[in-house]
Amino acid sequence: MSTRTRRHFAIFTTASLPWMTGTAINPLFRAAYLAKDGDKDVTLVIPWLCLRDQELVYPNKIVFDSTLEHESYVRHWIEERIDFKPSFSIKFYPGKFSTEMRSILPVGDITDCIPDEVADIAVLEEPEHLNWYHHGRRWKNKFRRVIGIVHTNYLAYVRREKNGQVIACFLKYANTWVTRIYCHKIIRLSGATQDLPRSIICNVHGVNPKFLEVGKLKLRQLQSGEKAFTKGAYYIGKMVWSKGYRELLDLLSKYQSKLAGLEVDLYGSGEDSDAVCESAKRLSLVVNVHPGRDHADPLFHEYKVFINPSTTDVVCTTTAEALAMGKIVICANHPSNEFFKQFPNCRIYNNEEEFVQLTLNALSEQPAPLTDMQRYELSWEAATERFIEAADINPHAPESRTHQTSTRASLPAFMRTRRLKQNLEDASVYLHQALSGLEVTRRAFGAVPKTLQPDEQLCKDLGLAPPAKRRKLKFKLTT
């Protein structure tokens, strides 16, 4: 393919390995598979944290002294999990960890990470999160196409906090505002997310191919008459109550007599680990609580039933992985599980009695073999195809960048309507930029203090001009 028709994808995300969270793992796979055929240029843009923040975020005391060291870790991780050499670039933007939000927030104008001459398609993983405090170039002006992928049901999480309903009302408006003014198209992974302007529902995530290989092995064992599964039921997830642990322990407590003999293993680490352990000890059922570990660990291959009652996920990665490994999955009838209904091993319950019956049935049955098509639907190849289609991207012809419509009074009515909408959006962008440019406003709405520009340490780590020089350059560019 000629260089004139190659598209460039810049994937910006809100987390990075070794933090084992969805927005660290899924965009990494997306970058690898978009670049797989070699007909696209792909750059993954991930946050760089200073040493103090790395110690707060990354597990097992893993820290990096340089971006080269961090990049090497990320590349090694992905190359161990795919059967081809990924050909994408990695760049870093300055970030700060918010202990209150338990999230990484961008610092400064992260659009600077991509040179203007190659700015084509921007993929914003968690566009609301990336733009709450965005103060810099307007995404639509710099990039020809801006696609947002909504990963997180933020409203469900904040409703569980003090004054949650009030916070959720404000957050709903803020999410709508920033995605409307900064994105051309929004992809919602499931109907569990907030409805947003110009959005479509499509699961554009796949599973690590290692899980599909486990599923093929289990199928061969079943076909040859071997015992493929030697263990019963389990659940794995970050050990916080909102991830389904409360719902699961409540169900097990209420129906202990009907589920007599059931043994469940829980795997996870998190803020509520001690409380989950204490609650599990009070049950007459055997519920074993273990530290979190990688779902690809051979330890999990022998389990037959994956129980996931969580309703705060958007599309649960571990559910997809369990299905790929050929297990039976028990989960709630919830929009987050809509994609999984096509798989015969996904057993959906509508009420507590159905949960009990489906669990008992699953323990006494063998999983149905996955067909080649079902296995493909879970793969990253299929997810990448769904992404290109849902994003409505022309693979060969770059779109024009956003531009002002002519102001002549003789324009047709539809053109005048379009111009009016553009003017309103421009005014909305101006307002957001004004608010996000004031330290007092940023602080009032939860931003990490002094994150309008990278501090001296972040500039040093990333090889950027010192803060004073950056401010002078920004002033010259805007005057």
Side-chain angles (χ1 to χ4, degrees):
M1 180 175 288
S2 71
T3 55
R4 287 184 298 120
T5 57
R6 290 174 68 90
R7 306 303 304 264
H8 181 272
F9 290 76
I11 302 172
F12 292 78
T13 189
T14 56
S16 174
L17 297 175
W19 193 6
M20 296 295 290
T21 188
T23 50
I25 295 169
N26 290 309
L28 177 56
F29 275 108
R30 193 180 329 282
Y33 279 85
L34 276 172
K36 182 179 181 181
D37 293 337
D39 60 348
K40 306 173 191 70
D41 294 319
V42 180
T43 301
L44 179 65
V45 190
I46 57 179
W48 168 261
L49 299 175
C50 65
L51 185 60
R52 184 180 66 253
D53 280 353
Q54 289 183 45
E55 291 170 346
L56 290 173
V57 177
Y58 299 148
N60 305 319
K61 299 183 179 178
I62 301 173
V63 294
F64 308 102
D65 292 326
S66 69
T67 55
L68 287 175
E69 199 177 309
H70 194 169
E71 178 176 346
S72 177
Y73 181 97
V74 171
R75 289 195 182 279
H76 180 71
W77 189 93
I78 189 68
E79 287 170 9
E80 282 192 328
R81 288 159 175 79
I82 56 179
D83 59 2
F84 60 93
K85 185 78 171 177
S87 58
F88 61 92
S89 304
I90 294 179
K91 290 193 175 184
F92 293 85
Y93 68 80
K96 287 282 187 181
F97 181 65
S98 168
T99 53
E100 290 183 3
M101 295 186 183
R102 301 296 302 171
S103 298
I104 297 169
L105 296 172
V107 177
D109 183 5
I110 66 173
T111 69
D112 287 343
C113 295
I114 302 297
D116 288 2
E117 58 269 22
V118 298
D120 183 14
I121 300 166
V123 181
L124 308 186
E125 312 269 356
E126 294 200 311
E128 62 278 69
H129 182 146
L130 286 169
N131 284 303
W132 286 326
Y133 311 109
H134 177 65
H135 185 74
R137 287 280 295 279
R138 184 179 176 184
W139 294 93
K140 289 182 184 177
N141 287 350
K142 174 152 183 168
F143 293 89
R144 291 185 171 93
R145 188 107 175 122
V146 184
I147 309 299
I149 301 178
V150 177
H151 290 243
T152 307
N153 187 354
Y154 288 108
L155 302 186
Y157 286 115
V158 299
R159 286 191 183 111
R160 294 170 179 245
E161 299 176 3
K162 184 180 179 181
N163 302 318
Q165 290 299 331
V166 176
I167 299 171
C169 183
F170 171 78
L171 185 60
K172 183 178 180 180
Y173 174 77
N175 291 344
T176 300
W177 185 20
V178 296
T179 53
R180 183 192 296 276
I181 62 178
Y182 291 125
C183 297
H184 292 106
K185 187 75 174 280
I186 295 291
I187 299 172
R188 301 161 56 205
L189 296 178
S190 78
T193 59
Q194 175 186 341
D195 190 12
L196 293 167
R198 296 188 287 267
S199 67
I200 184 174
I201 295 174
C202 183
N203 177 21
V204 293
H205 286 176
V207 300
N208 178 341
K210 297 293 184 185
F211 293 105
L212 294 167
E213 291 303 316
V214 173
K216 291 177 183 177
L217 171 63
K218 292 301 173 184
L219 176 59
R220 290 194 294 270
Q221 289 176 338
L222 287 170
Q223 290 174 335
S224 64
E226 296 179 51
K227 191 170 184 180
F229 301 100
T230 59
K231 299 178 183 176
Y234 77 108
Y235 176 52
I236 180 173
K238 185 178 181 182
M239 201 162 282
V240 292
W241 287 121
S242 61
K243 282 292 186 180
Y245 288 95
R246 188 179 301 282
E247 289 85 347
L248 179 55
L249 291 176
D250 285 349
L251 285 165
L252 296 178
S253 175
K254 188 173 182 179
Y255 295 96
Q256 292 182 76
S257 58
K258 291 186 178 181
L259 294 169
L262 173 67
E263 183 172 340
V264 181
D265 291 332
L266 305 180
Y267 294 87
S269 301
E271 300 93 288
D272 297 324
S273 295
D274 291 342
V276 170
C277 286
E278 286 302 313
S279 294
K281 288 176 183 176
R282 292 196 288 268
L283 300 177
S284 62
L285 295 173
V286 179
V287 179
N288 305 303
V289 182
H290 308 278
R293 55 202 306 166
D294 192 330
H295 201 191
D297 192 301
L299 168 78
F300 296 107
H301 297 179
E302 302 304 313
Y303 285 98
K304 182 169 69 171
V305 181
F306 179 77
I307 301 177
N308 181 10
S310 175
T311 56
T312 57
D313 289 303
V314 172
V315 173
C316 184
T317 302
T318 50
T319 293
E321 293 166 350
L323 288 170
M325 288 190 281
K327 305 180 189 302
I328 296 173
V329 171
I330 312 279
C331 56
N333 190 1
H334 185 263
S336 62
N337 295 318
E338 192 67 30
F339 176 79
F340 302 124
K341 290 181 179 179
Q342 63 184 295
F343 302 99
N345 287 331
C346 181
R347 313 290 173 82
I348 301 286
Y349 64 89
N350 294 286
N351 52 55
E352 295 177 348
E353 288 74 18
E354 285 187 10
F355 166 81
V356 173
Q357 192 57 55
L358 288 174
T359 300
L360 293 173
N361 291 347
L363 292 168
S364 62
E365 299 171 0
Q366 289 299 331
L370 281 177
T371 66
D372 290 341
M373 181 54 70
Q374 289 164 351
R375 196 175 292 113
Y376 180 74
E377 284 297 302
L378 289 167
S379 73
W380 267 105
E381 285 87 356
T384 303
E385 287 182 5
R386 292 194 297 267
F387 166 71
I388 294 294
E389 183 177 352
D392 196 22
I393 293 170
N394 186 325
H396 306 304
E399 302 87 347
S400 299
R401 286 183 171 83
T402 299
H403 60 275
Q404 293 287 349
T405 308
S406 171
T407 58
R408 289 181 299 173
S410 58
L411 285 173
F414 79 92
M415 292 287 283
R416 291 198 297 272
T417 302
R418 183 186 300 174
R419 186 191 65 196
L420 176 61
K421 288 181 179 178
Q422 184 65 55
N423 289 342
L424 289 172
E425 186 171 293
D426 290 343
S428 193
V429 171
Y430 179 83
L431 176 60
H432 184 262
Q433 290 282 305
L435 293 173
S436 64
L438 298 172
E439 180 69 13
V440 64
T441 313
R442 295 170 67 85
R443 293 283 297 274
F445 292 113
V448 177
K450 299 180 181 178
T451 52
L452 193 56
Q453 293 295 330
D455 60 25
E456 191 171 340
Q457 186 60 54
L458 283 172
C459 287
K460 181 180 177 181
D461 291 347
L462 294 171
L464 303 173
K469 288 186 178 180
R470 288 175 65 85
R471 282 194 293 271
K472 287 180 181 178
L473 179 61
K474 188 177 181 66
F475 176 77
K476 288 180 180 179
L477 291 173
T478 55
T479 56

